[in-house]
Amino acid sequence: MDQAQAHQWLATAVAEARAGLAEGGIPIGAALYGADGNLLGRGRNRRVQDDDPSMHAETSAFRAAGRLRSYRGTTMVTTLSPCWYCSGLVRQFGISRVVVGEATTFHGGHEWLAEHGVEVVLLDDPECTALMRDFIEDNPALWNEDIGSD
Ligand SMILES: [Zn+2]
């Protein structure tokens, strides 16, 4: 896909991540875009805010989009490589493309998605990387809780 477009969409996810950080949450944001380029839904990790470990950024954006008959041609944009749970969501609903802000601080399921026919655009965005690096450094326990490791 067009790199400028990918970066423009990523900015929506980054704004969500920053809003989450400001709320005391985990700074991961996401947005779901339609095949026509319309924003369908946006959201952020809400583990802390909602006391809900299943409310990841991608899941939050997905739920905000409401019901769609088909996810063909849609793009899930996320600031961080999607975990197994959110990667599963992408495959379950047939989301066609995933734009990933970075996969340096966390290596999720983006390669697995690519192996299964999902178009993956990995941007290696320095702003996304810095956001997570700083957060993990300041909140190691919360981060380990989110990724399910200790
Ligand atoms: Zn996830």
Side-chain angles (χ1 to χ4, degrees):
M1 77 177 291
D2 179 64
Q3 290 286 302
Q5 175 78 281
H7 280 279
Q8 192 191 329
W9 287 357
L10 182 65
T12 305
V14 170
E16 286 291 330
R18 291 205 176 280
L21 186 65
E23 291 167 347
I26 297 166
I28 306 171
L32 185 67
Y33 279 90
D36 55 4
N38 279 340
L39 178 61
L40 300 173
R42 55 192 292 173
R44 52 187 174 267
N45 184 301
R46 303 189 57 87
R47 163 183 287 271
V48 175
Q49 297 94 316
D50 295 357
D51 191 29
D52 182 353
S54 73
M55 198 50 119
H56 286 194
E58 299 90 331
T59 303
S60 177
F62 178 80
R63 289 178 67 176
R67 287 167 59 191
L68 298 176
R69 273 200 78 228
S70 167
Y71 292 86
R72 193 186 306 266
T74 60
T75 301
M76 180 63 81
V77 185
T78 176
T79 55
L80 182 66
S81 177
C83 73
W84 290 118
Y85 160 60
C86 295
S87 295
L89 181 141
V90 167
R91 285 201 60 199
Q92 172 70 30
F93 293 95
I95 292 169
S96 298
R97 183 163 59 195
V98 177
V99 172
V100 178
E102 61 107 349
T104 306
T105 63
F106 177 74
H107 195 107
H110 64 279
E111 283 163 355
W112 177 74
L113 289 171
E115 280 165 21
H116 289 89
V118 177
E119 181 187 348
V120 174
V121 179
L122 180 54
L123 293 175
D124 199 18
D125 180 77
E127 186 182 359
C128 290
T129 309
L131 203 56
M132 281 315 292
R133 188 168 286 148
D134 292 350
F135 176 79
I136 294 166
E137 214 172 276
D138 296 344
N139 306 274
L142 184 53
W143 173 237
N144 286 329
E145 178 187 312
D146 196 58
I147 58 175
S149 79
D150 47 24

